[in-house]
Amino acid sequence: MAIGTDPAASTSKIAQATLPDGFYSKFLSNAAQTRKASSIRSLFAVEALPGMIPMLVGRPNPATYPFERVTLDVKSPYASGSTTPDSQSDIETIDIVGDDLSEALQYSQSFGVPALNKWLFTLMQQEHGVSQADARVTIGAGSQDLLYKAFTAIVNPGDSIMVEAPTYPGVIPVIDALRCEIVQIDTDSQGISPTSLERTLEEWPLGKPFPKVLYTVPYGANPTGVTTSLVRRLDNLQLARKYNFLIFEDDPYYYLYFGEDQRPASYLSLERTVVDPQQRGIGRVLRFDSLSKIFAAGLRVGWATGPKQILNAMDGHTSTANLQPPTFSQIVALKVLQSWGIPGFRAHVDRVANFYKGKRDAFEKYMQLHLGNGLAEWQTPDAAMFYWVKLNIPETVTCSVRPDTTTAGSDDEDANQGDSKTFVEIKAVDNGVIVLPGTSSFVDGRTTAYVRISFSLLDEAQMDEGLRRLSEALKM
Ligand SMILES: Cc1ncc(COP(=O)(O)O)c(C=O)c1O
């Protein structure tokens, strides 16, 4: 069986068949299958034919727009300072003018600005080994937009889906609204547990359709900060093949890995490189990336990479919901990325990861200082910007609301260890410090002693004082 797969098996690049169109028909939701195409957008390809006179779309005339030029002063990815450029020569000026400016100010494709889409696809080819035969890219207004559309593309009310527990708090309202059965899969210091996953699937009621998807954040998970190990990834992938479910790999922290060990390959890449003796085909992984954590969150640019059958459904959703992701943001990103090239992009993200490593090291020092003496337990993260901390909550803090703990995966042991939500509300906030109560990361809203602490924005004085206040609150 899959558990205990040899990581060495993942090294060879092999040719495998992609899954046929028919495979996806049982995955696509009724909404995705019955959504009407946008009558205008479905003619974009015809409009683009050489010599065609465009009388199709209500595009405003950019001559009427008030913008003449947009000038970007951009830090060089090779500048010597860690995040602050040392001198003017570390700044590159990029002008967006003429045709580029007209394009930036105009409507564009639902799958994103074609040149940016192409740039990101090349990055995905180099990083994860996708090819045009087995995947494409679509751009969204952040990965949150694409997650929402991806879940909507596959989930019908009553379907089952699996999420790692704890999970990204921002995805819970998305899946909650789809009225599906949500099964929580345990995680630990190595990431999502194949044992929990396999148990869930082996014990699945006879005759009931298996869950359609597993949602996971594999690098520096939000909220736990854990990076799923290679062995776990291989085991989970084998289970996806065996039980035929999709993996939604939500990876906005991929480039923020700063661990000592070699970084594990993505699910998207492993699917293409790990031999499946049963030849069950590739196309079960849909990957989500984002510029938010590495470039600018306010640009709202994210992208998804995976099988075109699901991305087509997501683009259909975009074409009716918001027509397209913002062109202006995409052109700003494109101009900078084109100027850097992929080597410059890599230099930049390495620097960003190094910046967060410095923050993590400083934060760890103050964690040890203020919470190290039995007030809390934690695992030091090797990526991203969160600590998932089990607080030793004083017995004087009693749980205000007893949440529903009947959902699969809920854990009464957690409830007995204290209620971080009540603690944060009545002790921590009063003491001038706020962290995210762990209950927000569980689909069943279970009581838990855990909190998520974000260190990304804090300077050392704030780290010291914030954790001192938290430790005081725990002693109150
Ligand atoms: C795990 C995870 N997924 C998705 C998102 C949303 O990112 P974006 O800004 O790309 O929409 C976040 C943001 O914090 C996140 O932590």
Side-chain angles (χ1 to χ4, degrees), residues 214-231:
L214 169 68
Y215 170 78
T216 180
V217 183
Y219 269 97
N222 183 351
T224 60
V226 167
T227 296
T228 304
S229 69
L230 178 59
V231 174

Side-chain angles (χ1 to χ4, degrees), residues 140-147 164 167-171 215-223 250-253 288-293 296-298 300-303 385-386 452:
S143 49
Q144 185 77 20
D145 177 39
L146 295 167
L147 284 168
E164 62 189 10
T167 195
Y168 164 47
V171 85
Y215 170 78
T216 180
V217 183
Y219 269 97
N222 183 351
D250 180 15
D251 217 354
Y253 305 104
F288 301 84
D289 284 271
S290 175
L291 287 187
S292 289
K293 317 294 175 182
R300 309 306 302 131
V301 174
W303 67 100
M385 49 186 73
F386 304 114
R452 189 194 75 180

